[in-house]
Amino acid sequence: MIKELPGVRTRRRRLRPGRPPAARALACAAAAACAVLTGCAARAPDRAADPDEVIKAATQRLTDACLIRQGLVPPRSGGARQPGTEDARVSAALFGTGPAELSLALPTGYVVRAHTDGCLAAAQQRLYGDQPGWFRASVVVNNLRPEADHTHRDLAEVRARHRGEIADWQRLRAHALTEAETVLNTPPPKGNPPA
């Protein structure tokens, strides 16, 4: 079954019953190859990709490659996984281990922590160019509404107080989008990656 790709229109043709099975198979193979090549080579020119989805896809590609280099099965790959110890190893490799190196206390009283080791941190460093800076900016920007609610201030006032973090967030996100497009447009290496 050929999966239809977003932005790619396909027409289904009914094969004539008089065609021999080999011709039907050849026609199906040609149609599948054309659909795959068209889907890989072309983007819908009238619709730009969602930047969040582009960054998310690049992050997934980078974290999956990092896990595979460590001999681990990425959680989304659908491969055979052994629960328990294997899940703990994947989690440690993905999110880091030990005490979190990054920490930010919010005006709401919550403290957000993150690791600088692990595949996710490495992917963020690659995409954003400054993982600690991205951590600070994204935690603040993602918590503007809770801060406004907690401090009984208008959201516009809270945003004005955090202009610097918002500017950092926008700058780092733009950098990540450029890097993500590079990651996604570069074919993955062939063969066994170095350990």
PDB file of all heavy atoms in Angstrom, residues 62-100:
ATOM      1  N   LEU A  62      18.377  13.474  15.321  1.00  0.00           N
ATOM      2  CA  LEU A  62      19.633  13.557  16.067  1.00  0.00           C
ATOM      3  C   LEU A  62      19.629  12.645  17.297  1.00  0.00           C
ATOM      4  O   LEU A  62      20.621  11.964  17.569  1.00  0.00           O
ATOM      5  CB  LEU A  62      19.904  15.007  16.481  1.00  0.00           C
ATOM      6  CG  LEU A  62      20.247  15.965  15.343  1.00  0.00           C
ATOM      7  CD1 LEU A  62      20.233  17.407  15.837  1.00  0.00           C
ATOM      8  CD2 LEU A  62      21.584  15.616  14.710  1.00  0.00           C
ATOM      9  N   THR A  63      18.530  12.634  18.049  1.00  0.00           N
ATOM     10  CA  THR A  63      18.490  11.798  19.252  1.00  0.00           C
ATOM     11  C   THR A  63      18.470  10.318  18.882  1.00  0.00           C
ATOM     12  O   THR A  63      19.129   9.512  19.542  1.00  0.00           O
ATOM     13  CB  THR A  63      17.297  12.134  20.162  1.00  0.00           C
ATOM     14  OG1 THR A  63      16.077  12.025  19.428  1.00  0.00           O
ATOM     15  CG2 THR A  63      17.425  13.529  20.756  1.00  0.00           C
ATOM     16  N   ASP A  64      17.749   9.954  17.830  1.00  0.00           N
ATOM     17  CA  ASP A  64      17.732   8.553  17.398  1.00  0.00           C
ATOM     18  C   ASP A  64      19.130   8.101  16.978  1.00  0.00           C
ATOM     19  O   ASP A  64      19.576   7.014  17.353  1.00  0.00           O
ATOM     20  CB  ASP A  64      16.751   8.348  16.243  1.00  0.00           C
ATOM     21  CG  ASP A  64      15.295   8.369  16.682  1.00  0.00           C
ATOM     22  OD1 ASP A  64      15.030   8.488  17.895  1.00  0.00           O
ATOM     23  OD2 ASP A  64      14.418   8.284  15.800  1.00  0.00           O
ATOM     24  N   ALA A  65      19.830   8.936  16.213  1.00  0.00           N
ATOM     25  CA  ALA A  65      21.190   8.586  15.771  1.00  0.00           C
ATOM     26  C   ALA A  65      22.126   8.442  16.970  1.00  0.00           C
ATOM     27  O   ALA A  65      22.960   7.534  17.015  1.00  0.00           O
ATOM     28  CB  ALA A  65      21.715   9.639  14.805  1.00  0.00           C
ATOM     29  N   CYS A  66      21.974   9.320  17.955  1.00  0.00           N
ATOM     30  CA  CYS A  66      22.800   9.257  19.168  1.00  0.00           C
ATOM     31  C   CYS A  66      22.556   7.943  19.913  1.00  0.00           C
ATOM     32  O   CYS A  66      23.499   7.279  20.352  1.00  0.00           O
ATOM     33  CB  CYS A  66      22.472  10.459  20.052  1.00  0.00           C
ATOM     34  SG  CYS A  66      23.311  10.489  21.643  1.00  0.00           S
ATOM     35  N   LEU A  67      21.304   7.554  20.054  1.00  0.00           N
ATOM     36  CA  LEU A  67      20.982   6.306  20.745  1.00  0.00           C
ATOM     37  C   LEU A  67      21.516   5.098  19.980  1.00  0.00           C
ATOM     38  O   LEU A  67      22.075   4.175  20.564  1.00  0.00           O
ATOM     39  CB  LEU A  67      19.469   6.184  20.953  1.00  0.00           C
ATOM     40  CG  LEU A  67      18.855   7.149  21.953  1.00  0.00           C
ATOM     41  CD1 LEU A  67      17.333   7.087  21.894  1.00  0.00           C
ATOM     42  CD2 LEU A  67      19.348   6.861  23.363  1.00  0.00           C
ATOM     43  N   ILE A  68      21.355   5.113  18.674  1.00  0.00           N
ATOM     44  CA  ILE A  68      21.822   3.998  17.842  1.00  0.00           C
ATOM     45  C   ILE A  68      23.336   3.863  17.945  1.00  0.00           C
ATOM     46  O   ILE A  68      23.860   2.740  18.024  1.00  0.00           O
ATOM     47  CB  ILE A  68      21.358   4.185  16.378  1.00  0.00           C
ATOM     48  CG1 ILE A  68      19.834   3.986  16.306  1.00  0.00           C
ATOM     49  CG2 ILE A  68      22.089   3.234  15.438  1.00  0.00           C
ATOM     50  CD1 ILE A  68      19.206   4.419  14.999  1.00  0.00           C
ATOM     51  N   ARG A  69      24.064   4.982  17.970  1.00  0.00           N
ATOM     52  CA  ARG A  69      25.523   4.920  18.122  1.00  0.00           C
ATOM     53  C   ARG A  69      25.914   4.248  19.438  1.00  0.00           C
ATOM     54  O   ARG A  69      26.991   3.677  19.542  1.00  0.00           O
ATOM     55  CB  ARG A  69      26.127   6.329  18.075  1.00  0.00           C
ATOM     56  CG  ARG A  69      26.292   6.884  16.683  1.00  0.00           C
ATOM     57  CD  ARG A  69      27.156   8.136  16.668  1.00  0.00           C
ATOM     58  NE  ARG A  69      26.672   9.195  17.521  1.00  0.00           N
ATOM     59  CZ  ARG A  69      25.785  10.128  17.168  1.00  0.00           C
ATOM     60  NH1 ARG A  69      25.277  10.109  15.963  1.00  0.00           N
ATOM     61  NH2 ARG A  69      25.416  11.061  18.010  1.00  0.00           N
ATOM     62  N   GLN A  70      25.031   4.306  20.432  1.00  0.00           N
ATOM     63  CA  GLN A  70      25.303   3.681  21.723  1.00  0.00           C
ATOM     64  C   GLN A  70      24.765   2.252  21.787  1.00  0.00           C
ATOM     65  O   GLN A  70      24.768   1.626  22.843  1.00  0.00           O
ATOM     66  CB  GLN A  70      24.695   4.524  22.850  1.00  0.00           C
ATOM     67  CG  GLN A  70      25.324   5.907  22.953  1.00  0.00           C
ATOM     68  CD  GLN A  70      24.685   6.725  24.033  1.00  0.00           C
ATOM     69  OE1 GLN A  70      24.551   6.277  25.166  1.00  0.00           O
ATOM     70  NE2 GLN A  70      24.278   7.945  23.685  1.00  0.00           N
ATOM     71  N   GLY A  71      24.267   1.762  20.651  1.00  0.00           N
ATOM     72  CA  GLY A  71      23.754   0.400  20.603  1.00  0.00           C
ATOM     73  C   GLY A  71      22.366   0.256  21.205  1.00  0.00           C
ATOM     74  O   GLY A  71      21.957  -0.846  21.569  1.00  0.00           O
ATOM     75  N   LEU A  72      21.625   1.359  21.300  1.00  0.00           N
ATOM     76  CA  LEU A  72      20.291   1.336  21.903  1.00  0.00           C
ATOM     77  C   LEU A  72      19.222   1.527  20.829  1.00  0.00           C
ATOM     78  O   LEU A  72      19.468   2.153  19.792  1.00  0.00           O
ATOM     79  CB  LEU A  72      20.179   2.436  22.958  1.00  0.00           C
ATOM     80  CG  LEU A  72      21.164   2.309  24.118  1.00  0.00           C
ATOM     81  CD1 LEU A  72      21.162   3.569  24.964  1.00  0.00           C
ATOM     82  CD2 LEU A  72      20.823   1.098  24.967  1.00  0.00           C
ATOM     83  N   VAL A  73      18.052   1.001  21.091  1.00  0.00           N
ATOM     84  CA  VAL A  73      16.929   1.129  20.168  1.00  0.00           C
ATOM     85  C   VAL A  73      16.132   2.370  20.553  1.00  0.00           C
ATOM     86  O   VAL A  73      15.654   2.473  21.687  1.00  0.00           O
ATOM     87  CB  VAL A  73      16.021  -0.121  20.229  1.00  0.00           C
ATOM     88  CG1 VAL A  73      14.817   0.039  19.319  1.00  0.00           C
ATOM     89  CG2 VAL A  73      16.807  -1.370  19.869  1.00  0.00           C
ATOM     90  N   PRO A  74      16.011   3.339  19.629  1.00  0.00           N
ATOM     91  CA  PRO A  74      15.213   4.534  19.937  1.00  0.00           C
ATOM     92  C   PRO A  74      13.781   4.155  20.296  1.00  0.00           C
ATOM     93  O   PRO A  74      13.240   3.193  19.746  1.00  0.00           O
ATOM     94  CB  PRO A  74      15.250   5.341  18.645  1.00  0.00           C
ATOM     95  CG  PRO A  74      16.494   4.870  17.947  1.00  0.00           C
ATOM     96  CD  PRO A  74      16.624   3.417  18.314  1.00  0.00           C
ATOM     97  N   PRO A  75      13.163   4.887  21.221  1.00  0.00           N
ATOM     98  CA  PRO A  75      11.820   4.515  21.678  1.00  0.00           C
ATOM     99  C   PRO A  75      10.765   4.496  20.584  1.00  0.00           C
ATOM    100  O   PRO A  75       9.833   3.750  20.650  1.00  0.00           O
ATOM    101  CB  PRO A  75      11.477   5.568  22.726  1.00  0.00           C
ATOM    102  CG  PRO A  75      12.655   6.429  22.892  1.00  0.00           C
ATOM    103  CD  PRO A  75      13.688   6.042  21.897  1.00  0.00           C
ATOM    104  N   ARG A  76      10.925   5.292  19.544  1.00  0.00           N
ATOM    105  CA  ARG A  76       9.910   5.383  18.499  1.00  0.00           C
ATOM    106  C   ARG A  76      10.164   4.441  17.336  1.00  0.00           C
ATOM    107  O   ARG A  76       9.377   4.365  16.427  1.00  0.00           O
ATOM    108  CB  ARG A  76       9.851   6.804  17.943  1.00  0.00           C
ATOM    109  CG  ARG A  76       9.345   7.799  18.918  1.00  0.00           C
ATOM    110  CD  ARG A  76       9.613   9.206  18.438  1.00  0.00           C
ATOM    111  NE  ARG A  76      10.999   9.498  18.197  1.00  0.00           N
ATOM    112  CZ  ARG A  76      11.915   9.748  19.129  1.00  0.00           C
ATOM    113  NH1 ARG A  76      11.586   9.759  20.381  1.00  0.00           N
ATOM    114  NH2 ARG A  76      13.156  10.005  18.812  1.00  0.00           N
ATOM    115  N   SER A  77      11.283   3.748  17.311  1.00  0.00           N
ATOM    116  CA  SER A  77      11.646   3.000  16.111  1.00  0.00           C
ATOM    117  C   SER A  77      10.815   1.745  15.908  1.00  0.00           C
ATOM    118  O   SER A  77      10.824   1.181  14.835  1.00  0.00           O
ATOM    119  CB  SER A  77      13.132   2.640  16.141  1.00  0.00           C
ATOM    120  OG  SER A  77      13.360   1.688  17.149  1.00  0.00           O
ATOM    121  N   GLY A  78      10.109   1.282  16.925  1.00  0.00           N
ATOM    122  CA  GLY A  78       9.265   0.108  16.768  1.00  0.00           C
ATOM    123  C   GLY A  78      10.043  -1.198  16.756  1.00  0.00           C
ATOM    124  O   GLY A  78       9.477  -2.241  16.511  1.00  0.00           O
ATOM    125  N   GLY A  79      11.336  -1.134  17.008  1.00  0.00           N
ATOM    126  CA  GLY A  79      12.142  -2.351  17.061  1.00  0.00           C
ATOM    127  C   GLY A  79      11.844  -3.139  18.321  1.00  0.00           C
ATOM    128  O   GLY A  79      11.151  -2.692  19.229  1.00  0.00           O
ATOM    129  N   ALA A  80      12.395  -4.326  18.389  1.00  0.00           N
ATOM    130  CA  ALA A  80      12.199  -5.171  19.566  1.00  0.00           C
ATOM    131  C   ALA A  80      12.927  -4.558  20.759  1.00  0.00           C
ATOM    132  O   ALA A  80      14.102  -4.241  20.681  1.00  0.00           O
ATOM    133  CB  ALA A  80      12.718  -6.569  19.284  1.00  0.00           C
ATOM    134  N   ARG A  81      12.217  -4.367  21.833  1.00  0.00           N
ATOM    135  CA  ARG A  81      12.786  -3.764  23.038  1.00  0.00           C
ATOM    136  C   ARG A  81      12.512  -4.669  24.216  1.00  0.00           C
ATOM    137  O   ARG A  81      11.469  -5.285  24.314  1.00  0.00           O
ATOM    138  CB  ARG A  81      12.154  -2.401  23.312  1.00  0.00           C
ATOM    139  CG  ARG A  81      12.461  -1.376  22.255  1.00  0.00           C
ATOM    140  CD  ARG A  81      11.783  -0.070  22.566  1.00  0.00           C
ATOM    141  NE  ARG A  81      11.996   0.345  23.930  1.00  0.00           N
ATOM    142  CZ  ARG A  81      12.952   1.178  24.328  1.00  0.00           C
ATOM    143  NH1 ARG A  81      13.764   1.685  23.464  1.00  0.00           N
ATOM    144  NH2 ARG A  81      13.072   1.517  25.585  1.00  0.00           N
ATOM    145  N   GLN A  82      13.473  -4.703  25.118  1.00  0.00           N
ATOM    146  CA  GLN A  82      13.279  -5.447  26.349  1.00  0.00           C
ATOM    147  C   GLN A  82      12.930  -4.450  27.440  1.00  0.00           C
ATOM    148  O   GLN A  82      13.684  -3.506  27.679  1.00  0.00           O
ATOM    149  CB  GLN A  82      14.547  -6.202  26.719  1.00  0.00           C
ATOM    150  CG  GLN A  82      14.894  -7.288  25.733  1.00  0.00           C
ATOM    151  CD  GLN A  82      16.178  -7.981  26.115  1.00  0.00           C
ATOM    152  OE1 GLN A  82      16.800  -7.662  27.111  1.00  0.00           O
ATOM    153  NE2 GLN A  82      16.578  -8.935  25.302  1.00  0.00           N
ATOM    154  N   PRO A  83      11.766  -4.599  28.089  1.00  0.00           N
ATOM    155  CA  PRO A  83      11.386  -3.656  29.135  1.00  0.00           C
ATOM    156  C   PRO A  83      12.322  -3.760  30.338  1.00  0.00           C
ATOM    157  O   PRO A  83      13.052  -4.733  30.495  1.00  0.00           O
ATOM    158  CB  PRO A  83       9.960  -4.064  29.494  1.00  0.00           C
ATOM    159  CG  PRO A  83       9.824  -5.475  29.047  1.00  0.00           C
ATOM    160  CD  PRO A  83      10.796  -5.659  27.907  1.00  0.00           C
ATOM    161  N   GLY A  84      12.281  -2.772  31.177  1.00  0.00           N
ATOM    162  CA  GLY A  84      13.077  -2.797  32.405  1.00  0.00           C
ATOM    163  C   GLY A  84      14.427  -2.161  32.212  1.00  0.00           C
ATOM    164  O   GLY A  84      14.540  -0.963  32.024  1.00  0.00           O
ATOM    165  N   THR A  85      15.461  -2.971  32.236  1.00  0.00           N
ATOM    166  CA  THR A  85      16.835  -2.480  32.162  1.00  0.00           C
ATOM    167  C   THR A  85      17.078  -1.703  30.876  1.00  0.00           C
ATOM    168  O   THR A  85      17.712  -0.652  30.890  1.00  0.00           O
ATOM    169  CB  THR A  85      17.831  -3.657  32.251  1.00  0.00           C
ATOM    170  OG1 THR A  85      17.532  -4.411  33.419  1.00  0.00           O
ATOM    171  CG2 THR A  85      19.248  -3.173  32.310  1.00  0.00           C
ATOM    172  N   GLU A  86      16.581  -2.212  29.761  1.00  0.00           N
ATOM    173  CA  GLU A  86      16.775  -1.538  28.475  1.00  0.00           C
ATOM    174  C   GLU A  86      16.121  -0.163  28.494  1.00  0.00           C
ATOM    175  O   GLU A  86      16.702   0.812  28.021  1.00  0.00           O
ATOM    176  CB  GLU A  86      16.209  -2.394  27.336  1.00  0.00           C
ATOM    177  CG  GLU A  86      16.367  -1.778  25.963  1.00  0.00           C
ATOM    178  CD  GLU A  86      17.795  -1.794  25.440  1.00  0.00           C
ATOM    179  OE1 GLU A  86      18.660  -2.452  26.028  1.00  0.00           O
ATOM    180  OE2 GLU A  86      18.048  -1.130  24.427  1.00  0.00           O
ATOM    181  N   ASP A  87      14.908  -0.060  29.041  1.00  0.00           N
ATOM    182  CA  ASP A  87      14.232   1.235  29.129  1.00  0.00           C
ATOM    183  C   ASP A  87      15.019   2.214  29.991  1.00  0.00           C
ATOM    184  O   ASP A  87      15.125   3.389  29.662  1.00  0.00           O
ATOM    185  CB  ASP A  87      12.817   1.075  29.702  1.00  0.00           C
ATOM    186  CG  ASP A  87      11.853   0.441  28.707  1.00  0.00           C
ATOM    187  OD1 ASP A  87      12.134   0.492  27.491  1.00  0.00           O
ATOM    188  OD2 ASP A  87      10.828  -0.090  29.154  1.00  0.00           O
ATOM    189  N   ALA A  88      15.598   1.734  31.080  1.00  0.00           N
ATOM    190  CA  ALA A  88      16.397   2.595  31.959  1.00  0.00           C
ATOM    191  C   ALA A  88      17.652   3.079  31.239  1.00  0.00           C
ATOM    192  O   ALA A  88      18.035   4.245  31.370  1.00  0.00           O
ATOM    193  CB  ALA A  88      16.765   1.855  33.238  1.00  0.00           C
ATOM    194  N   ARG A  89      18.275   2.203  30.453  1.00  0.00           N
ATOM    195  CA  ARG A  89      19.469   2.603  29.691  1.00  0.00           C
ATOM    196  C   ARG A  89      19.122   3.632  28.634  1.00  0.00           C
ATOM    197  O   ARG A  89      19.858   4.599  28.435  1.00  0.00           O
ATOM    198  CB  ARG A  89      20.117   1.376  29.044  1.00  0.00           C
ATOM    199  CG  ARG A  89      20.817   0.462  30.025  1.00  0.00           C
ATOM    200  CD  ARG A  89      21.520  -0.712  29.352  1.00  0.00           C
ATOM    201  NE  ARG A  89      22.468  -0.239  28.350  1.00  0.00           N
ATOM    202  CZ  ARG A  89      22.650  -0.801  27.152  1.00  0.00           C
ATOM    203  NH1 ARG A  89      21.946  -1.865  26.809  1.00  0.00           N
ATOM    204  NH2 ARG A  89      23.526  -0.327  26.304  1.00  0.00           N
ATOM    205  N   VAL A  90      18.009   3.425  27.932  1.00  0.00           N
ATOM    206  CA  VAL A  90      17.583   4.374  26.905  1.00  0.00           C
ATOM    207  C   VAL A  90      17.262   5.722  27.549  1.00  0.00           C
ATOM    208  O   VAL A  90      17.674   6.774  27.058  1.00  0.00           O
ATOM    209  CB  VAL A  90      16.371   3.836  26.110  1.00  0.00           C
ATOM    210  CG1 VAL A  90      15.753   4.922  25.232  1.00  0.00           C
ATOM    211  CG2 VAL A  90      16.775   2.644  25.267  1.00  0.00           C
ATOM    212  N   SER A  91      16.550   5.701  28.661  1.00  0.00           N
ATOM    213  CA  SER A  91      16.200   6.941  29.354  1.00  0.00           C
ATOM    214  C   SER A  91      17.449   7.697  29.811  1.00  0.00           C
ATOM    215  O   SER A  91      17.550   8.915  29.632  1.00  0.00           O
ATOM    216  CB  SER A  91      15.295   6.628  30.551  1.00  0.00           C
ATOM    217  OG  SER A  91      14.938   7.809  31.203  1.00  0.00           O
ATOM    218  N   ALA A  92      18.409   6.980  30.380  1.00  0.00           N
ATOM    219  CA  ALA A  92      19.652   7.612  30.841  1.00  0.00           C
ATOM    220  C   ALA A  92      20.427   8.192  29.661  1.00  0.00           C
ATOM    221  O   ALA A  92      20.950   9.307  29.737  1.00  0.00           O
ATOM    222  CB  ALA A  92      20.502   6.612  31.605  1.00  0.00           C
ATOM    223  N   ALA A  93      20.492   7.448  28.554  1.00  0.00           N
ATOM    224  CA  ALA A  93      21.220   7.931  27.380  1.00  0.00           C
ATOM    225  C   ALA A  93      20.511   9.121  26.739  1.00  0.00           C
ATOM    226  O   ALA A  93      21.151  10.051  26.264  1.00  0.00           O
ATOM    227  CB  ALA A  93      21.375   6.807  26.363  1.00  0.00           C
ATOM    228  N   LEU A  94      19.195   9.102  26.767  1.00  0.00           N
ATOM    229  CA  LEU A  94      18.424  10.163  26.130  1.00  0.00           C
ATOM    230  C   LEU A  94      18.407  11.441  26.963  1.00  0.00           C
ATOM    231  O   LEU A  94      18.651  12.537  26.453  1.00  0.00           O
ATOM    232  CB  LEU A  94      16.998   9.675  25.878  1.00  0.00           C
ATOM    233  CG  LEU A  94      16.076  10.577  25.077  1.00  0.00           C
ATOM    234  CD1 LEU A  94      16.643  10.879  23.705  1.00  0.00           C
ATOM    235  CD2 LEU A  94      14.707   9.918  24.938  1.00  0.00           C
ATOM    236  N   PHE A  95      18.151  11.317  28.266  1.00  0.00           N
ATOM    237  CA  PHE A  95      17.935  12.503  29.110  1.00  0.00           C
ATOM    238  C   PHE A  95      19.113  12.875  30.001  1.00  0.00           C
ATOM    239  O   PHE A  95      19.104  13.926  30.625  1.00  0.00           O
ATOM    240  CB  PHE A  95      16.687  12.303  29.972  1.00  0.00           C
ATOM    241  CG  PHE A  95      15.440  12.119  29.160  1.00  0.00           C
ATOM    242  CD1 PHE A  95      14.781  10.899  29.155  1.00  0.00           C
ATOM    243  CD2 PHE A  95      14.949  13.138  28.361  1.00  0.00           C
ATOM    244  CE1 PHE A  95      13.643  10.712  28.400  1.00  0.00           C
ATOM    245  CE2 PHE A  95      13.811  12.959  27.597  1.00  0.00           C
ATOM    246  CZ  PHE A  95      13.160  11.742  27.615  1.00  0.00           C
ATOM    247  N   GLY A  96      20.128  12.020  30.110  1.00  0.00           N
ATOM    248  CA  GLY A  96      21.272  12.315  30.955  1.00  0.00           C
ATOM    249  C   GLY A  96      21.122  11.651  32.315  1.00  0.00           C
ATOM    250  O   GLY A  96      20.079  11.115  32.665  1.00  0.00           O
ATOM    251  N   THR A  97      22.209  11.697  33.072  1.00  0.00           N
ATOM    252  CA  THR A  97      22.222  11.030  34.378  1.00  0.00           C
ATOM    253  C   THR A  97      22.817  11.944  35.433  1.00  0.00           C
ATOM    254  O   THR A  97      23.408  12.975  35.123  1.00  0.00           O
ATOM    255  CB  THR A  97      23.059   9.740  34.310  1.00  0.00           C
ATOM    256  OG1 THR A  97      24.391  10.077  33.911  1.00  0.00           O
ATOM    257  CG2 THR A  97      22.469   8.736  33.340  1.00  0.00           C
ATOM    258  N   GLY A  98      22.656  11.519  36.670  1.00  0.00           N
ATOM    259  CA  GLY A  98      23.219  12.278  37.784  1.00  0.00           C
ATOM    260  C   GLY A  98      22.425  13.545  38.059  1.00  0.00           C
ATOM    261  O   GLY A  98      21.343  13.750  37.523  1.00  0.00           O
ATOM    262  N   PRO A  99      22.966  14.402  38.910  1.00  0.00           N
ATOM    263  CA  PRO A  99      22.272  15.660  39.208  1.00  0.00           C
ATOM    264  C   PRO A  99      22.181  16.544  37.958  1.00  0.00           C
ATOM    265  O   PRO A  99      23.120  16.598  37.168  1.00  0.00           O
ATOM    266  CB  PRO A  99      23.150  16.323  40.276  1.00  0.00           C
ATOM    267  CG  PRO A  99      24.073  15.267  40.762  1.00  0.00           C
ATOM    268  CD  PRO A  99      24.193  14.241  39.681  1.00  0.00           C
ATOM    269  N   ALA A 100      21.057  17.208  37.803  1.00  0.00           N
ATOM    270  CA  ALA A 100      20.860  18.101  36.660  1.00  0.00           C
ATOM    271  C   ALA A 100      21.790  19.300  36.779  1.00  0.00           C
ATOM    272  O   ALA A 100      21.911  19.904  37.837  1.00  0.00           O
ATOM    273  CB  ALA A 100      19.406  18.553  36.600  1.00  0.00           C
TER     274      ALA A 100
END
